[in-house]
Amino acid sequence: MNKNLLITGANGQLGSELQQLAAHYPLFRFFPTDVDTLNLCNKRDIESFIQQNKIDYVINCAAYTAVDKAEEDVELCYKINRDAVRNLAEAAVGKAKIIHVSTDYVFDGTSQSPLKETDKTNPQSIYGKSKLDGEQILMEISPESIIIRTAWLYAAFGNNFVKTMIRLGKEKESLNVVSDQWGTPTYAGDLAKAILDIIMFGEKTLGFASGIYHYTNEGICSWYDFCLKIHELAGIKTCKVHPVSSAEYPVKAKRPMYSVLDKTKIKSTFQLEIPQWEKSLEKMTVIL
Ligand SMILES: NC(=O)c1ccc[n+]([C@@H]2O[C@H](COP(=O)([O-])OP(=O)(O)OC[C@H]3O[C@@H](n4cnc5c(N)ncnc54)[C@H](OP(=O)(O)O)[C@@H]3O)[C@@H](O)[C@H]2O)c1
């Protein structure tokens, strides 16, 4: 039987990649919405949308993601990343299952080995704090939900590091990029597929394995390494990229120095294979 799947924040990076995959998942009927069609700040609207469209699953891609701006725009950031998640959880509980997306910024970046779902959280930015609050509220109200923490997300849609580095690489003769922060890039198309496969897995096994999971592409790099690879794949040869320390590149929100996520749990629970970050970047730069 067909399942009705609500995508919130569907015009963002992840939401757009999910919509691209719709044709490959005929079991699902997609209901893409964004702030103009379903504003998550309005609980009544969410309740009636879920009821009227008999929604079985919600993939929550809606978020406030302007990490530096959030340090000043605190109220709005919490309204979307915490309060709207509460609205969604209350509206969906007992009716639709939720897959919510969170971030590596819930960690403080002091770890020296890949972070597990059970590792201590200690967010250092308003964005990270608001996302952690969202996670906790969701699990209190609707513990049967799935939360997927991801990192360094990019897509063919929207603005992101990959597109910015391509643009700057074409415009400038040189660039400074931070080389002492470590993580893993994530192609939103891979994450979108993983989310849909997780729902399919639950449908086939008659179980929805609730809990927190970590998902990024495979591998580790710094932002500097990431930029070099982007320029290589995009054929940019005229821009010299200089490695700089975080201290030399001040930003408003504190970033984790190390936020490599351990993906053992998501891979073993849902039998997922995760592509290496360079391979996925190659796929994306071909599209651009
Ligand atoms: N981007 C990253 O590097 C990154 C890293 C780790 C985790 N994540 C997480 O991954 C998820 C997806 O991120 P993304 O990069 O795809 O985000 P995105 O591109 O910023 O998309 C978020 C979408 O949510 C919409 N939205 C904002 N407020 C809303 C509201 N009240 N009701 C409904 N929709 C609303 C936004 O609309 P407007 O554009 O009009 O505001 C936007 O279309 C988020 O949970 C994010 O926290 C992202």
Side-chain angles (χ1 to χ4, degrees):
M1 202 173 84
N2 275 51
K3 296 288 170 182
N4 292 342
L5 207 152
L6 164 61
I7 304 173
T8 62
N11 297 340
Q13 298 195 83
L14 180 59
S16 301
E17 294 286 357
L18 277 161
Q19 292 190 65
Q20 292 290 304
L21 293 174
H24 298 284
Y25 292 85
L27 175 71
F28 301 137
R29 191 161 162 231
F30 284 66
F31 290 81
T33 63
D34 208 283
V35 63
D36 50 344
T37 43
L38 184 62
N39 186 339
L40 298 190
C41 295
N42 192 333
K43 191 172 122 189
R44 287 240 172 92
D45 287 356
I46 314 172
E47 279 167 351
S48 41
F49 194 99
I50 288 176
Q51 202 165 354
Q52 277 167 21
N53 298 295
K54 299 188 170 52
I55 296 297
D56 299 292
Y57 294 98
V58 181
I59 305 177
N60 186 25
C61 307
Y64 183 105
T65 56
V67 176
D68 288 315
K69 207 167 154 218
E71 295 297 311
E72 282 158 10
D73 212 0
V74 181
E75 206 178 312
L76 183 61
C77 180
Y78 274 99
K79 204 172 163 198
I80 298 169
N81 292 346
R82 178 193 60 197
D83 304 343
V85 178
R86 181 189 293 114
N87 290 340
L88 183 63
E90 287 176 353
V93 70
K95 299 183 193 85
K97 295 190 170 69
I98 300 175
I99 293 110
H100 174 67
V101 183
S102 190
T103 173
D104 57 325
Y105 283 32
V106 298
F107 295 112
D108 60 18
T110 55
S111 173
Q112 288 176 356
S113 56
L115 290 143
K116 291 188 174 31
E117 291 78 357
T118 46
D119 282 340
K120 191 177 169 294
T121 52
N122 184 23
Q124 298 294 301
S125 60
I126 296 294
Y127 169 73
K129 286 176 188 162
S130 68
K131 291 292 290 184
L132 182 60
D133 281 3
E135 286 187 6
Q136 289 169 345
I137 283 168
L138 175 60
M139 281 312 189
E140 268 165 37
I141 300 169
S142 180
E144 64 276 18
S145 302
I146 286 178
I147 293 173
I148 302 178
R149 293 185 186 136
T150 190
W152 298 26
L153 203 63
Y154 66 89
F157 309 90
N159 293 319
N160 51 60
F161 185 79
V162 177
K163 288 187 175 181
T164 305
M165 290 305 115
I166 291 177
R167 181 174 52 77
L168 294 177
K170 287 178 180 167
E171 283 171 12
K172 293 179 155 236
E173 283 175 7
S174 71
L175 266 183
N176 291 341
V177 182
V178 170
S179 61
D180 59 358
Q181 286 173 25
W182 299 90
T184 317
T186 308
Y187 175 40
D190 292 337
L191 175 57
K193 182 173 183 306
I195 291 173
L196 295 172
D197 287 345
I198 284 169
I199 301 175
M200 282 295 287
F201 186 86
E203 286 291 326
K204 281 186 201 148
T205 59
L206 301 179
F208 188 76
S210 61
I212 298 179
Y213 297 88
H214 287 171
Y215 184 101
T216 62
N217 280 126
E218 293 283 14
I220 300 175
C221 67
S222 69
W223 291 105
Y224 169 73
D225 302 328
F226 191 16
C227 176
L228 288 185
K229 194 72 190 169
I230 294 165
H231 283 189
E232 181 196 316
L233 291 171
I236 295 168
K237 297 190 176 101
T238 49
C239 178
K240 174 87 185 121
V241 184
H242 301 288
V244 294
S245 68
S246 303
E248 290 172 278
Y249 195 88
V251 281
K252 286 207 180 92
K254 196 173 172 204
R255 266 76 172 165
M257 297 300 283
Y258 178 97
S259 66
V260 177
L261 300 179
D262 184 319
K263 298 164 289 289
T264 310
K265 184 179 171 192
I266 201 163
K267 287 193 284 189
S268 59
T269 309
F270 303 110
Q271 294 162 20
L272 292 181
E273 278 185 30
I274 304 182
Q276 196 69 20
W277 72 266
E278 295 96 326
K279 283 269 164 230
S280 292
L281 182 61
E282 207 174 325
K283 267 190 298 192
M284 181 16 229
T285 40
V286 168
I287 300 168
L288 283 177

